[in-house]
Structures are given as C-alpha cells and as structure tokens.
Amino acid sequence: MAVIEIHHLTYTYPASDHPALRGVSLDVEAGEFVALIGPNGAGKSTLCYTLAGFVPHFFKGDLQGEVRVTGQDIRQVRLEDWVLKVGLVFQNPFNQISGAKFTVYEEIAFGLENIGVPREEMRRRVEEVMALTGITDLANRSPYALSGGQQQRVALASILVMQPEVLVLDEPTSQLDPIGSREVFQVIRRLAHQGVTIVMAEHKVEWIAEYADRVIALADGEVIASGKPTEVLTDPRLPEYGIGISRYTAVARRAAEEGLWPPQRRLPVTLEEAAVGFSALEEAHAHQR
Ligand SMILES: Nc1ncnc2c1ncn2[C@@H]1O[C@H](COP(=O)(O)OP(=O)(O)OP(=O)(O)O)[C@@H](O)[C@H]1O
C-alpha cells in the first residue's frame, strides 16, 4: 500500500469559482522523495496544504475525491492528530520558529514538551534529530542568530522530532543560498533513505534532478507530467506551461537544433550531465576526423 494515496482530488477555495486542484491522482511509496514543480498559481502550495490537512480542516472550501495517508482518510482525522502524521515545513523558517524559546535545543523540544513526552525520551529524540540535520553544535545558540540554512534545518528538526511518517515541504530553499539549499536537500535525501516519505514543492530543477526520485509537474491545478526527474525536467512542453527549465537543458536543446548534441542522448538537467554529453560528442567527432 502506498503511504500517500490521492484519487481524483479536486479542491476549490471558499469564495472562489476556479478549482485550485483539478482531478489530481497520485500515489507515493514509503521513503520516496517526490518533487512538485509548476508555475506560480499551479496549485503546489494547495497540494502541500491538503497533504498536511490544512485543506479541508483549516481552509474549508469544496474538496472532492480522496486523500489518504497510511490508509486514513483526511476527512476522518482531526487536524491536531493529522499534524503528528504529516509534518509541514514552510518557505520561510522564520515563520516556523515559535518565538517562545531561547535556544535551538529548547525550540526543538517544544513540540514534545507540549504533548508531555518524558524528559529522558525528549532528550534522546532532540539529540537524534539535531545529529540528523547537522545542527548539534548549534544547540545552545538562539534560533534567531543563525544563517538561513541553519534556521531552516532547525525548523526541519522541530518537525522531525515529532516523527511524522510524511514530510511535506513548500519551497523550503527559496530563501536560501546554494550552500543552505544543498544542506537542506542533503538532509531530505537522508530522511528518505530512512523511510520518511517526502513531498517537496521546489523550483530549483538542477537540485531536484540530483536528489528527487520522481517529479510531478502541475499547471493550473492539473498534473501535466509525472515520472523520473530526467524525463519530466526535459519535457519540451514545460516552457509552454511557464515552468522554468535548467540552463543546461536550454543550452543543450539549442545545441541539438544545430546538430551539436549526441542524437540518441537525453537532454541534460545538471552540469555533470551536460559535460558528459558534450564530451561524448567531441569524442565522436574526433573519431570521424
Ligand atoms: N486562500 C486562498 N483563497 C482563494 N484562492 C486561493 C487561495 N490560496 C491560493 N489560491 C488560488 O489557488 C490557486 C493555486 O495557488 P497555489 O498557491 O497553490 O499555487 P502555487 O503553485 O503554490 O503558486 P506559487 O508558486 O506562486 O506559490 C491560484 O489560482 C491561487 O490564486
């Protein structure tokens, strides 16, 4: 059984007459890392909110179809129970920090304190997630006196400490520089290897190509492509939908039009793939000479 099962999901916000999600179907297996891409307004955040239970428990509106996580229907479970099953990480870590605690350690322990977890277990779980997210040395620092990447890892740790089965991230690296982004992607990859199911809305296609298992492209609330990152991210229709492509895909596509890309080779998404493709072409030319 897939961990996430979405069937024919159509959702319209209250006071709107245009569905934000239309006929979305999607299964995600345990430990899979799925990236959501799409232009502004495509429905990525709405899908994240739905998985996290904010739709329909907080945003009412009209929800048709089925959304299940580990077999449970989203409509049958209260939001306060659902959030223990599905953790949501927002774009801006600043919004996720409670403001009630003075140190990173206390911040991460906050959620466990609220549900009355015994002190010894709390310490063990907090130390475990700090190690996993690489922030052990920040334990006594203020959550506000950190870089963006460090702050996002604190936000992530404070969600992970609750041990959700599914982690949903809505553009978690949009405020981060390349170093911070890599830190976050590496932690996410590690979590997926440990069996956490990941759904992440993200624009950075080169990072997605490197780290995600599958990509789902949304446009105007509908799934327009779904598959392996290299397939979806080089789909020639993406620009028509206003979805950004990697600069390496764009360069190689131009080169291919001029006969300067190996004909049988898939277009690249990352720099490494581009380098391999162009050197293969060079070798083929050297042979012909
Ligand atoms: N609270 C709301 N009430 C009414 N309509 C909304 C609300 N939030 C989003 N929408 C609409 O739902 C559609 C999907 O928006 P959503 O924010 O999910 O897209 P997105 O792909 O996350 O875009 P972005 O990349 O800009 O964050 C858009 O048409 C948007 O205007």
Side-chain angles (χ1 to χ4, degrees), residues 60-159:
K60 303 293 181 194
D62 178 52
L63 179 77
Q64 305 284 333
E66 235 184 290
V67 180
R68 290 178 178 275
V69 173
T70 55
Q72 282 184 303
D73 188 309
I74 200 166
R75 279 174 281 224
Q76 313 288 319
V77 181
R78 292 179 315 166
L79 186 57
E80 53 265 48
D81 297 324
W82 195 267
V83 295
L84 299 176
K85 201 181 186 45
V86 182
L88 176 63
V89 175
F90 295 96
Q91 231 176 62
N92 189 341
F94 200 77
N95 295 337
Q96 201 133 10
I97 289 170
S98 69
K101 297 293 175 184
F102 292 109
T103 68
V104 164
Y105 182 95
E106 291 168 358
E107 177 67 29
I108 298 169
F110 192 35
L112 297 179
E113 237 171 50
N114 285 341
I115 57 168
V117 170
R119 190 145 293 273
E120 216 17 61
E121 184 188 340
M122 186 154 81
R123 197 176 55 79
R124 186 180 52 74
R125 279 168 66 171
V126 172
E127 284 175 2
E128 216 171 81
V129 294
M130 285 199 304
L132 181 73
T133 50
I135 54 172
T136 304
D137 54 336
L138 306 178
N140 296 317
R141 299 265 295 273
S142 156
Y144 290 104
L146 302 174
S147 74
Q150 290 170 331
Q151 222 168 40
Q152 190 57 290
R153 283 182 292 151
V154 172
L156 191 54
S158 59
I159 297 288

Side-chain angles (χ1 to χ4, degrees), residues 11-16 18-21 37-49 59 91 170-171 201 203 218 220-221:
Y11 172 72
T12 311
Y13 281 101
S16 168
H18 188 77
L21 295 171
I37 59 168
N40 290 340
K44 303 179 298 295
S45 296
T46 307
L47 187 52
C48 290
Y49 295 156
F59 295 107
Q91 231 176 62
D170 189 8
E171 296 184 34
H203 285 290
L218 288 172
D220 195 17

Side-chain angles (χ1 to χ4, degrees), residues 148-149 173-186 204 206-207 210-211 247:
T173 71
S174 66
Q175 314 283 325
L176 308 183
D177 60 17
I179 294 172
S181 300
R182 185 171 291 282
E183 288 168 356
V184 169
F185 270 96
Q186 282 171 340
K204 294 176 176 149
E206 288 150 35
W207 297 93
E210 202 176 324
Y211 288 95
R247 68 196 111 167

Side-chain angles (χ1 to χ4, degrees), residues 251-265:
V251 167
R253 185 166 287 145
R254 270 303 297 280
E257 284 162 12
E258 310 284 333
L260 296 173
W261 180 255
Q264 305 306 328
R265 187 175 285 271

